[in-house]
Amino acid sequence: MEIEKNYRINSLFAFYQPLLTAKQNNYMQLYYGDDYSLGEIAEEYNVSRQAVYDNLRRTEKILEDYEAKLHLYQEFTARNQQADEIQAYVADNYPKDAKLNRLVAGLENLEEQ
């Protein structure tokens, strides 16, 4: 469960990072991206562990609120799933159609960017 939560928060952070303050960005990057502990972040910024914890929880809520309103991550996930289904269908039914396979691969590459 914790791994799923971390994956979701990291994904939301990737989408909505530009909307966060510098401090929120730094704390999130250190905690979720660089695997710093609350104590290490607190020491780095000369604040209490509780202050770091509170900031992270508030930022997580902000990210969830952005997603609830904008649905960028949800729509990205749905597009990727659809693209995967198309790619599998084409691979199964049209394996020799080089142009179609190239077009589908291009679609996959667009989603990854």
Side-chain angles (χ1 to χ4, degrees):
M1 174 102 171
E2 189 69 23
I3 292 173
E4 291 171 7
K5 178 191 174 204
N6 286 349
Y7 180 80
R8 179 170 174 80
I9 294 299
N10 274 319
S11 296
L12 294 177
F13 182 58
F15 278 95
Y16 302 113
Q17 180 181 12
L19 302 175
L20 300 176
T21 66
K23 186 164 132 181
Q24 289 169 329
N25 268 305
N26 291 337
Y27 283 17
M28 293 294 287
Q29 180 60 46
L30 289 173
Y31 189 75
Y32 285 101
D34 300 336
D35 203 27
Y36 275 47
S37 69
L38 296 175
E40 290 170 324
I41 298 170
E43 190 175 311
E44 178 91 13
Y45 286 91
N46 200 28
V47 296
S48 70
R49 289 177 77 247
Q50 186 64 45
V52 173
Y53 177 82
D54 291 345
N55 185 290
L56 288 169
R57 295 303 157 253
R58 276 193 311 274
T59 304
E60 289 170 6
K61 180 165 180 0
I62 288 168
L63 292 172
E64 291 290 355
D65 289 346
Y66 286 147
E67 178 60 14
K69 292 173 184 161
L70 301 172
H71 311 287
L72 297 179
Y73 176 63
Q74 177 185 357
E75 291 170 1
F76 173 79
T77 302
R79 282 191 311 273
N80 271 346
Q81 184 178 11
Q82 187 70 43
D84 289 344
E85 289 177 26
I86 292 169
Q87 189 173 35
Y89 180 83
V90 168
D92 289 345
N93 295 288
Y94 302 96
K96 295 181 183 178
D97 189 330
K99 183 173 183 175
L100 182 58
N101 280 286
R102 205 170 40 253
L103 290 170
V104 171
L107 178 65
E108 284 283 322
N109 291 334
L110 283 176
E111 281 300 318
E112 291 174 5
Q113 295 174 0

